[in-house]
Amino acid sequence: MKTFLIIYGACLLACPLFAGQTRTWSQSDFPEFEKGIVKNLSLRSDGPIGLAPRMRELFDTSSPYLWALAQDSKGNLYAGGGANAKLYRIPPDGKGKVLAESDALEIHAIAVDSKDRVYYATSPDGKVYRIAGNSKPEVFYDPKAKYIWGLAFNSKGELFVATGDEGEIHRVAADGKGKLFFKCDEAHVRSMAIDSADNVIIGTDPGGVVLRVSPSGDGFVLYQMPKKEVTAVAVGRDGVVYAAGVGVKQAGPIAPFPTGAAPVTPVPVTAPGAAVVVARPPAPPSASLAPNAVTGGSEVYRIDPNAGPRRIWNHAQDVVYALAIDAAGRLVVGAGNRGSVVRIESPTVYTVLVTLPAAQVTGLASGRDGHLYAVTGNVGKVYEIGPAVEHEGSIESDVFDAGMHSLWGRLSFEGNLNGGQIAIAARSGNLDQPQKNWSAWSPAVTDPKGARLNSPASRFAQWRAVLTAGGDGRSPELDSVDVAYLPKNVEPHVDEIEATPPNYKFPAPVAMAAAAPQQSLSLPALGKRAAGAGAAVDITGVTPAMQYAKGYAGARWLASDPNGDPLMFTVEIRGVNETAWKLLRDKLAERYYSWDSTAFADGEYRLRITASDAPGNPPAEALTAQTVSDPFLIDNTPPRIAGLTAVRSGARLQVKWHAADALNNVTKAEYSLDGGDWKVASPVTRLSDSLELDYDLTIDAAPGEHTIAVRVVDDFENLAADKVVVKN
C-alpha cells in the first residue's frame, strides 16, 4: 500500500487539481514528520513512526557538561566532564555520587579494566588516574601531554592513551610503565578505539584523518575526511570502522579524499613511532571546551576494508560527539545541538531514536541487557535508553495551510498496528498558529480506513497521532496520514489586458507547431515591465510569436484563479461611443486572441474579457469575473497626400506636399525619382510627431522629364502614395 501512496502522490504533482475536486493533504516522509512536535516516538528516515525506546534520567550531576562514560562488570556507570573535572559513579539504582575530583579542568576519557578498576584522564596538563574500588585516585601514568582525549584497553590489558597537542599515542602496561607507541603529524589524536585484532583505530584533528595502527605500531591511513576533526570512532563486530567528522577544514595542500565508495589509497608507515605525514597546521581541537563551540555540521562514514569509505549519515547543523555499537551490532550516533540519538539501520536508512532534553549528547556506552547509556552537555546528565519501548507516544503535525477556506473530509492512515493502537484526531482554525480560538480536537480515528472529520471549515488544519503499544510491548508503526479537503471556490481574476501591435496575429492553436513565417514578432512578458528605461524582459513563448497579417488586431491578458482551476474566456468588443458589446470569441482556452479588424470602422474600441472557472467546477458552483480594457485604436485607412508639386530651379527640383491622417501620426515618408530607390524624406519640422506634416525637398535632377513618387505611412502601417511629373 505504501507503493500506491507514493505513486498517488506523484500523480497529484503531475495532474492539476481544481476547486470542484477533492484534494488530499498527505504526510508520509521524514522531513514532514520532523516538523511536528514529537514525544516518545522514533522517526525513521524512510518514513515510519514508532514508539521510542524507553528513556529515563538516571542522574543529574553538578557539571555543566559531561564528556566521557564507561560501565564496569557490575553495571556501575562512570561519567566525567567539566568544567571542574569531577568523576561520578552511578550505580544501577541511579543514586550517583562524586567518586573523585581534581584541580584540572575536564575529564575527556574513562576506561575500566578487567578487574573493574577505573581509569580517567584529565585535561589540560593531562594525567591518567586510577581508582580501585572505593580507594582514593592515584596518578597511574603521566604522558607529559597537554590533552588526553581517549583511553582504551587491548586484549592484553595494555592501556592506550590518545593525546594532544603533539598527536601521540602511549602504551601503558598494567604496572603503570608506559612509553610512546605511535606519533602522527597531527596536533591531536581526538578519538580512539581498538578492534578485535588489537589494532588501534584513531581519528585526528585538524586534518580529519582516520588511521589504523597495528599492534607493532605500523600506521595506515584508512581515510582522510572532508571535515577537520574526527570526534569519534567505533569498530563494529564485523571489523568495519565508523568515524564521525565535524568542523570546517582549513585550506591545505592535500585535498580530502572523495566521498564515494571507491577504495582509498592508503599511506603506509613502516616504522613504529614514525609520523604519518598529513600537511595540516596544528590547531586547538574545536570541541576542547564547551560542547556548543562546534559548528559546521557533521558527517559519519563507514570504512569497509572491502569497499572503501561511504558516507552513511550527515547533518548540516547537528554535531556528532559520540559513536557506539548497540547490543544488536548497529551503530548509534550521539549528537547536538538538538540532543539527538540516532541509530544507523543501513547505509541509507537511519532512525532518530530519542531526543534528549539536554542540547548535546556528548558520550554513549552500550550496556548490559540491551541498555544504551548517554551523557549530555547543557546540562550534564546521565540517561538510560531502552531496550523496552515506551507504552505511549504522540506526534502533533505541523500546521497545514490549505491556502483558502476549505471543507475538511475523511482522515485515514496507513500503518501496522502490531497488536497496539493508532489514534489520530484533527482540528482546524483560521490562525496560522493553533494557540487559541481553534476548534477542539475531533474524535480519534482508530480504523486505518478512516472516518469523516467534524472539524469546521477553515483555512488551516492539524492532526495529532497517539501510538499505544500492544500487550506484548510491540510498537505500532505509522506510515502516512491523509486528510481530504475541498477548497471553497473563489472567482477568477483578469488582471491586465494589453492590445497587441496592429497588423500581427496569433497563430491558431492547432497551427502553433507549424513553421513560423519569415516575418514574426515575439512580445515581451505581460505584466513584467523592466525598471530601466528602454529595458524589456524577453520571455518568448509566454505567448506565441505573432505573424504579420495586415489589418489584424489582437490582445492578450493576464488571468489567474485562486483555486488553480482551468479557465475559459469570452472576448467581446465595443466602440467607445457604443452601448452594446459584440461577441468576438466564446469558450476560448488561450489567454490571447486576434481578429480581422477591417470589418470594423476606424475609431476607438474597448475589449471585455470574461473569465469562467466552469471547466473545473460543477455548473452551479462555477464563477466568472470580467475586466474591460483601456481604449485602443482600429485604423485601416491610409493617410491623405495633398498639394504634391514639383518645380525646377536650375539643376534641382523642389518637391512639396502635405500629409494628414485622421487617427494616427504620420510616421514615415519616402520619395523615388524616376522609379529609383525609395529614400526617406524628413518633414519640415524634422520630427514625425503629428497627424499632419508638411514636406519640402530639394532633389538634384538633370533637365528633362522626371517622375517623382512619394508615399507616407501612419502608425498602423497604412500607406498612401502619389506622384507628380516634371517635363522640363
Side-chain angles (χ1 to χ4, degrees):
M1 185 60 73
K2 186 71 173 179
T3 302
F4 167 77
L5 288 174
I6 295 173
I7 296 173
Y8 179 64
C11 291
L12 292 182
L13 292 175
C15 305
L17 289 172
F18 313 133
Q21 297 181 6
T22 300
R23 307 184 186 189
T24 302
W25 167 35
S26 295
Q27 287 197 304
S28 61
D29 296 329
F30 179 87
E32 297 167 337
F33 291 145
E34 192 180 29
K35 294 177 183 177
I37 300 173
V38 179
K39 182 179 180 181
N40 295 339
L41 293 178
S42 295
L43 306 182
R44 276 174 57 114
S45 60
D46 56 353
I49 302 173
L51 290 170
R54 189 171 298 161
M55 180 265 292
R56 69 185 180 106
E57 180 185 309
L58 275 181
F59 186 63
D60 185 357
T61 74
S62 59
S63 297
Y65 46 89
L66 299 174
W67 280 117
L69 181 65
Q71 187 179 40
D72 65 17
S73 63
K74 299 180 180 65
N76 296 304
L77 294 172
Y78 300 89
N84 49 10
K86 289 182 179 180
L87 178 70
Y88 299 90
R89 175 192 284 161
I90 305 99
D93 61 9
K95 296 179 180 179
K97 66 177 183 178
V98 176
L99 187 62
E101 57 183 309
S102 70
D103 295 332
L105 182 64
E106 299 179 320
I107 294 174
H108 271 274
I110 302 173
V112 180
D113 68 12
S114 59
K115 297 180 180 180
D116 280 345
R117 291 176 296 191
V118 180
Y119 301 75
Y120 67 96
T122 60
S123 293
D125 300 321
K127 292 180 177 64
V128 179
Y129 293 84
R130 181 172 69 181
I131 300 177
N134 293 317
S135 64
K136 292 183 178 180
E138 59 181 3
V139 176
F140 178 70
Y141 182 70
D142 184 357
K144 308 299 182 183
K146 185 173 183 180
Y147 298 101
I148 298 178
W149 299 114
L151 298 175
F153 285 99
N154 67 5
S155 63
K156 298 177 182 179
E158 296 172 316
L159 179 66
F160 289 80
V161 183
T163 71
D165 285 334
E166 300 297 329
E168 297 177 345
I169 302 174
H170 291 245
R171 178 165 56 188
V172 187
D175 59 2
K177 295 180 179 179
K179 63 180 181 179
L180 178 65
F181 169 69
F182 182 82
K183 178 177 175 59
C184 65
D185 198 34
E186 290 277 275
H188 300 273
V189 179
R190 272 291 288 119
S191 50
M192 180 173 63
I194 297 181
D195 67 16
S196 59
D198 281 345
N199 295 301
V200 181
I201 310 300
I202 64 171
T204 71
D205 173 89
V209 179
V210 182
L211 298 101
R212 181 181 66 229
V213 184
S214 71
S216 61
D218 297 327
F220 194 83
V221 172
L222 297 176
Y223 187 47
Q224 186 178 20
M225 300 188 73
K227 298 293 186 179
K228 70 176 290 289
E229 182 179 351
V230 183
T231 53
V233 292
V235 181
R237 295 174 182 174
D238 54 359
V240 171
V241 173
Y242 299 95
V246 307
V248 178
K249 185 176 289 188
Q250 297 177 0
I254 297 180
F257 286 103
T259 58
V264 175
T265 303
V267 180
V269 177
T270 57
V276 174
V277 180
V278 180
R280 298 287 177 183
S286 58
S288 63
L289 296 175
N292 58 5
V294 186
T295 59
S298 300
E299 295 179 344
V300 176
Y301 281 80
R302 172 190 171 103
I303 306 173
D304 192 322
N306 299 318
R310 179 178 182 181
R311 192 175 70 182
I312 57 175
W313 188 87
N314 71 292
H315 199 283
Q317 289 82 38
D318 284 2
V319 176
V320 175
Y321 295 101
L323 299 177
I325 306 298
D326 70 8
R330 295 167 296 192
L331 180 69
V332 180
V333 177
N337 296 308
R338 298 181 297 171
S340 300
V341 178
V342 180
R343 185 174 67 207
I344 307 300
E345 311 292 351
S346 73
T348 58
V349 177
Y350 62 90
T351 300
V352 179
L353 289 177
V354 294
T355 301
L356 300 182
Q360 286 89 18
V361 179
T362 51
L364 292 171
S366 182
R368 301 181 303 172
D369 303 323
H371 289 94
L372 183 69
Y373 297 97
V375 292
T376 63
N378 292 330
V379 292
K381 295 184 178 183
V382 182
Y383 291 89
E384 180 185 78
I385 303 170
V389 300
E390 299 282 358
H391 176 68
E392 184 178 280
S394 65
I395 176 173
E396 196 171 288
S397 76
D398 193 21
V399 173
F400 172 67
D401 183 1
M404 60 194 66
H405 202 73
S406 300
L407 299 175
W408 303 103
R410 179 175 295 274
L411 183 151
S412 59
F413 63 90
E414 292 285 337
N416 191 343
L417 298 181
N418 289 328
Q421 184 186 67
I422 299 175
I424 307 180
R427 60 180 176 176
S428 61
N430 287 302
L431 294 173
D432 58 0
Q433 295 294 328
Q435 298 169 350
K436 294 182 179 179
N437 303 316
W438 270 49
S439 72
W441 290 104
S442 69
V445 177
T446 57
D447 186 344
K449 294 181 180 178
R452 192 171 302 281
L453 299 173
N454 60 1
S455 301
S458 61
R459 174 171 172 172
F460 302 98
Q462 183 184 37
W463 57 261
R464 179 183 65 191
V466 178
L467 280 65
T468 306
D472 59 358
R474 288 195 303 161
S475 170
E477 289 188 341
L478 177 63
D479 290 326
S480 64
V481 179
D482 297 328
V483 179
Y485 67 101
L486 180 66
K488 183 184 185 303
N489 193 27
V490 180
E491 67 275 3
H493 301 283
V494 179
D495 302 306
E496 182 180 351
I497 304 174
E498 177 189 80
T500 56
N503 304 312
Y504 284 87
K505 70 175 181 178
F506 292 108
V510 295
M512 286 175 60
Q518 291 183 349
Q519 189 173 6
S520 63
L521 174 68
S522 295
L523 301 179
L526 180 61
K528 295 183 179 179
R529 298 290 182 258
V537 180
D538 183 12
I539 53 168
T540 303
V542 172
T543 49
M546 301 188 75
Q547 306 158 355
Y548 184 80
K550 185 67 180 76
Y552 267 74
R556 57 178 182 161
W557 52 92
L558 289 175
S560 60
D561 187 271
N563 303 101
D565 292 332
L567 300 176
M568 64 180 181
F569 304 95
T570 299
V571 183
E572 298 169 291
I573 190 170
R574 186 183 70 183
V576 292
N577 296 318
E578 298 174 357
T579 57
W581 292 98
K582 287 84 173 177
L583 178 66
L584 282 177
R585 180 67 185 268
D586 196 10
K587 297 180 179 180
L588 181 67
E590 291 73 31
R591 287 166 167 77
Y592 53 86
Y593 183 66
S594 51
W595 69 97
D596 185 354
S597 69
T598 58
F600 294 82
D602 290 357
E604 283 191 315
Y605 290 83
R606 295 179 187 268
L607 288 181
R608 183 171 71 180
I609 307 297
T610 302
S612 170
D613 62 9
N617 290 277
E621 298 180 16
L623 298 174
T624 62
Q626 291 181 335
T627 297
V628 176
S629 73
D630 293 332
F632 63 94
L633 282 174
I634 290 179
D635 181 3
N636 291 303
T637 302
R640 301 183 307 277
I641 297 175
L644 176 60
T645 62
V647 178
R648 177 170 291 281
S649 176
R652 296 182 175 182
L653 297 176
Q654 185 176 16
V655 183
K656 296 182 179 181
W657 75 91
H658 178 79
D661 192 269
L663 297 175
N664 287 291
N665 288 338
V666 176
T667 58
K668 186 177 182 181
E670 296 174 305
Y671 70 92
S672 172
L673 177 64
D674 296 329
D677 294 337
W678 289 97
K679 298 179 180 180
V680 175
S682 297
V684 173
T685 61
R686 299 181 62 187
L687 299 174
S688 299
D689 59 355
S690 301
L691 298 179
E692 298 189 26
L693 295 171
D694 290 303
Y695 296 86
D696 189 344
L697 307 179
T698 299
I699 304 172
D700 292 332
E705 184 177 275
H706 296 282
T707 300
I708 299 96
V710 298
R711 62 186 184 187
V712 294
V713 180
D714 65 12
D715 270 337
F716 277 49
E717 299 183 18
N718 297 307
L719 183 146
D722 200 358
K723 64 181 179 180
V724 62
V725 177
V726 178
K727 294 186 177 182
N728 55 6

